[in-house]
């Protein structure tokens, strides 16, 4: 059963331990979840697909849960998505109705309401494991967003892997303030809690004060955040110290800068868990509760996951911790393909079952992985050298005058690409170039450092490097 903690028989037998979900000022017990979500399932059953405006609300929780009970695939739609992208998601997915909250423009779709106080105790048969659970659309950085079809089997397998890696149990209280339309906040945060049976708290905005309150006043033990969240908590100081009673801090969706990792460790006493994955693979790599947590590295392959590095010509790349190659993944958590896009699916999913992530990485002899970044924007080929942008960014962030940094390769007639760094801070550009040169090889020094007020980021905190390239 995918949502194992919502077994109606167990709830009826007294496994209803107070509030199971706290979100947007609403508390839901496990009995509330079963009864209200089953009521949703009755209204949505028989639909082929529905769209859910995935705001962090109790309505969204019940809509998602009701779909999973009824076996109806859902499309989580960001509330702030542009009209053209939203229309594409609805048309491409052939969603039949909006379930729950409505956007300002419904695009002509019918509406199925979520009634918070309605209850049903009808028993639904568990859908087949290979049935699609959801269709999550990519960010569309290389064209229109693609619909990633994620099966129930993949979700269950991934959550069980992470429960083992993080010693995640029903005794935990999981806290985050992340969007509810991505893997991090939706699959790991909400569905993970409903499978494992722990209490789930959504903070609303992921402010340092909200995270501190969730630990000190609500008993938060397992905290999820993106690097921007952790960076702001470290800057707050008091908020970071307030996280000391928690059990585990988990960072993902982008690389955690080493200074932030070190700051969390010094202030809260916690070395953050880092993990790696994508919408297409869910989470496949992680540092472990019982293993080494190395700043700048995202850990080892989870049970059942295999990884490999290949060069541009397809040759194996050695696992020496230094050599960089394209990362391929094979896992029981892989997606079933891009909806209506067999061509795009074939480009990234080989006949041998290996998913080509589009990321470049290094793997050491112990199986620890370091993600260099996207092959398209983070692998810089300059003067015959292959250089990872992340390595330079890590060094820049170690300078006292640098708050944020992003490095890209700009076209150069002589070098092929020249290294350009965008920095938020108050350091002297020439000083930063020399600073990098003192710590890394000469060919890794930026040829240019630009001071900027802020870096463009998406909703998950990832820097939009293609937008930076346009700034040039």
């Amino acid at each position: 059963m995918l949502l194992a903690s919502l077994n109606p028989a167990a709830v009826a037998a007294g496994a209803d331990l107070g509030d199971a979900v706290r979100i947007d000022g609403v508390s839901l017990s496990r009995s509330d979840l079963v009864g209200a979500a089953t009521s949703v399932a009755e209204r949505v059953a028989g639909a082929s697909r529905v769209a859910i405006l995935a705001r962090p609300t109790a309505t969204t929780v019940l809509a998602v849960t009701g779909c999973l009970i009824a076996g109806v695939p859902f499309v989580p739609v960001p509330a702030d998505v542009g009209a053209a992208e939203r229309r594409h998601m609805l048309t491409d997915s052939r969603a039949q109705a909006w379930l729950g909250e409505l956007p300002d423009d419904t695009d002509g779709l019918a509406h199925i309401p979520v009634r918070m106080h309605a209850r049903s105790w009808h028993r639904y048969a568990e859908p087949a494991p290979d049935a699609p659970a959801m269709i999550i659309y990519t960010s569309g950085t290389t064209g229109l967003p693609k619909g990633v079809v994620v099966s129930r089997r993949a979700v269950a397998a991934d959550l069980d892997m992470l429960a083992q890696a993080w010693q995640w149990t029903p005794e935990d209280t999981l806290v985050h303030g992340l969007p509810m339309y991505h893997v991090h906040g939706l699959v790991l945060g909400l569905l993970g809690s409903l499978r494992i049976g722990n209490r789930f708290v959504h903070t609303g905005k992921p402010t340092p004060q909200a995270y501190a309150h969730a630990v000190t006043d609500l008993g938060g033990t397992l905290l999820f955040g993106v690097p921007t969240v952790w960076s702001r908590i470290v800057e707050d100081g008091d908020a970071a110290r307030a996280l000391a009673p928690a059990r585990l801090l988990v960072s993902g969706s982008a690389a955690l800068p080493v200074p932030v990792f070190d700051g969390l460790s010094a202030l809260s006493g916690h070395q953050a868990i880092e993990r790696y994955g994508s919408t297409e693979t869910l989470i496949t790599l992680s540092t472990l509760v019982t293993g080494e947590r190395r700043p700048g590295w995202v850990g080892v392959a989870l049970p059942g996951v295999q990884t490999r590095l290949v060069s541009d010509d397809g040759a194996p790349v050695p696992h020496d911790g230094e050599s960089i190659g394209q990362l391929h993944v094979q896992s029981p958590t892989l997606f079933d393909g891009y909806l209506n896009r067999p061509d795009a699916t074939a480009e990234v999913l080989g006949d041998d079952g290996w998913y080509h992530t589009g990321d470049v990485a290094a793997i050491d002899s112990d199986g620890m992985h370091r993600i260099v970044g996207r092959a398209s924007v983070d692998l810089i080929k300059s003067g015959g050298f292959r250089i990872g942008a992340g390595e330079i960014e890590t060094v820049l962030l170690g300078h006292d005058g640098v708050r944020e940094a992003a490095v890209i390769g700009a076209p150069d007639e002589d070098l092929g690409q020249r290294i350009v760094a965008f920095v938020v801070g108050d350091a002297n550009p020439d000083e930063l170039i020399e600073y990098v040169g003192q710590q890394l090889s000469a060919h890794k020094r930026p040829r240019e450092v630009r001071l900027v007020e802020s870096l463009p980021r998406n909703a998950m905190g990832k820097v939009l490097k293609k937008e930076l390239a346009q700034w040039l």
Side-chain angles (χ1 to χ4, degrees):
M1 183 177 179
L2 176 56
L3 305 180
S5 76
L6 298 189
N7 183 311
V11 172
D16 190 359
L17 306 177
D19 58 331
V21 169
R22 288 175 61 113
I23 187 168
D24 195 31
V26 176
S27 294
L28 298 168
S29 68
R30 227 160 286 281
S31 179
D32 291 331
L33 286 168
V34 172
T38 304
S39 175
V40 172
E42 288 192 344
R43 289 194 292 279
V44 80
S48 57
R49 288 173 194 140
V50 296
I52 297 174
L53 192 66
R55 292 192 177 107
T57 64
T59 298
T60 295
V61 170
L62 294 177
V64 166
T65 309
C67 284
L68 292 172
I69 290 172
V72 174
F74 64 91
V75 181
V77 178
D80 59 353
V81 72
E85 285 194 5
R86 183 184 64 235
R87 194 171 302 116
H88 166 72
M89 292 178 184
L90 300 177
T91 303
D92 185 62
S93 67
R94 299 186 180 91
Q96 294 175 299
W98 285 103
L99 176 60
E101 296 184 53
L102 286 171
D104 294 334
D105 184 351
T106 64
D107 293 283
L109 287 191
H111 178 222
I112 302 172
V114 168
R115 298 188 177 97
M116 291 291 296
H117 301 293
R119 297 290 184 269
S120 170
W121 306 106
H122 179 78
R123 299 288 183 90
Y124 282 84
E126 180 73 7
D130 290 329
M134 67 197 79
I135 301 164
I136 302 183
Y137 278 81
T138 61
S139 57
T141 55
T142 57
L144 285 173
K146 297 187 288 290
V148 178
V149 182
V150 182
S151 71
R152 300 172 71 94
R153 183 191 300 278
V155 173
D158 200 53
L159 296 174
D160 290 348
M161 290 176 183
L162 293 173
Q164 179 180 340
W166 300 343
Q167 296 181 358
W168 183 358
T169 76
E171 302 304 313
D172 279 308
T173 292
L174 191 156
V175 174
H176 77 67
L178 304 175
M180 297 289 282
Y181 48 82
H182 281 310
V183 168
H184 199 162
L186 174 62
V187 178
L188 273 62
L190 177 61
L191 302 192
S193 299
L194 297 183
R195 180 168 180 80
I196 290 167
N198 58 271
R199 185 171 174 236
F200 172 69
V201 175
H202 194 284
T203 65
K205 291 183 178 180
T207 64
Q209 294 74 24
Y211 272 57
H213 166 70
V215 172
T216 57
D217 298 331
L218 302 178
T221 61
L222 178 58
L223 278 60
F224 291 173
V226 297
T228 303
V229 171
W230 299 124
S231 176
R232 290 170 180 169
I233 286 173
V234 168
E235 288 176 4
D236 185 279
D238 288 342
R241 283 183 282 271
L243 305 187
R247 185 179 68 82
L248 203 64
L249 313 184
V250 179
S251 182
S253 299
L256 184 67
V258 174
V260 178
F261 179 98
D262 291 340
L264 277 175
S265 179
L267 292 168
S268 72
H270 291 289
Q271 291 187 322
I273 286 280
E274 293 193 65
R275 86 301 183 280
Y276 164 84
S278 66
T279 308
E280 292 86 347
T281 67
L282 304 182
I283 306 306
T284 51
L285 308 173
S286 181
T287 49
L288 308 177
V289 167
T290 57
E292 179 186 7
R293 304 181 203 176
R294 189 187 308 170
W297 295 71
V298 294
V300 298
L302 293 171
V305 176
Q306 299 179 68
T307 61
R308 69 186 183 191
L309 295 179
V310 299
S311 62
D312 292 343
D313 60 7
V317 171
H319 293 188
D320 56 15
E322 295 292 336
S323 300
I324 294 173
Q326 298 177 34
L327 179 64
H328 294 179
V329 173
Q330 192 175 60
S331 171
T333 65
L334 291 185
F335 72 135
D336 290 338
Y338 295 117
L339 187 68
N340 306 322
R341 292 291 305 275
D343 54 335
T345 303
E347 288 177 6
V348 299
L349 197 57
D351 293 335
D352 56 1
W354 287 84
Y355 172 68
H356 302 185
T357 66
D359 289 323
V360 286
I363 306 175
D364 73 7
S365 57
D366 294 324
M368 285 283 281
H369 295 65
R370 175 170 59 87
I371 305 300
V372 173
R374 298 298 291 171
S376 57
V377 294
D378 291 310
L379 181 61
I380 302 169
K381 299 176 181 178
S382 181
F385 294 99
R386 292 161 57 89
I387 303 160
E391 185 178 16
I392 303 168
E393 291 163 356
T394 296
V395 171
L396 286 169
L397 288 167
H399 190 282
D400 291 340
V402 175
R403 293 192 297 277
E404 301 178 56
V407 171
I408 66 170
D412 188 275
E413 291 184 1
D414 179 40
L415 298 170
Q417 288 182 304
R418 72 181 188 279
I419 300 170
V420 179
F422 292 83
V423 168
V424 178
D426 53 10
N428 178 280
D430 291 334
E431 178 186 333
L432 292 178
I433 293 172
E434 181 62 25
Y435 179 75
V436 174
Q438 291 172 355
Q439 300 191 51
L440 299 177
S441 302
H443 63 269
K444 297 179 181 179
R445 289 192 305 176
R447 295 299 176 113
E448 181 182 356
V449 171
R450 295 194 178 194
L451 298 179
V452 296
E453 291 295 322
S454 62
L455 298 176
R457 296 180 184 272
N458 66 13
M460 296 302 290
K462 294 181 180 179
V463 175
L464 301 174
K465 291 196 173 183
K466 290 187 177 179
E467 186 171 327
L468 284 178
Q470 294 173 0
W471 290 7
L472 294 173

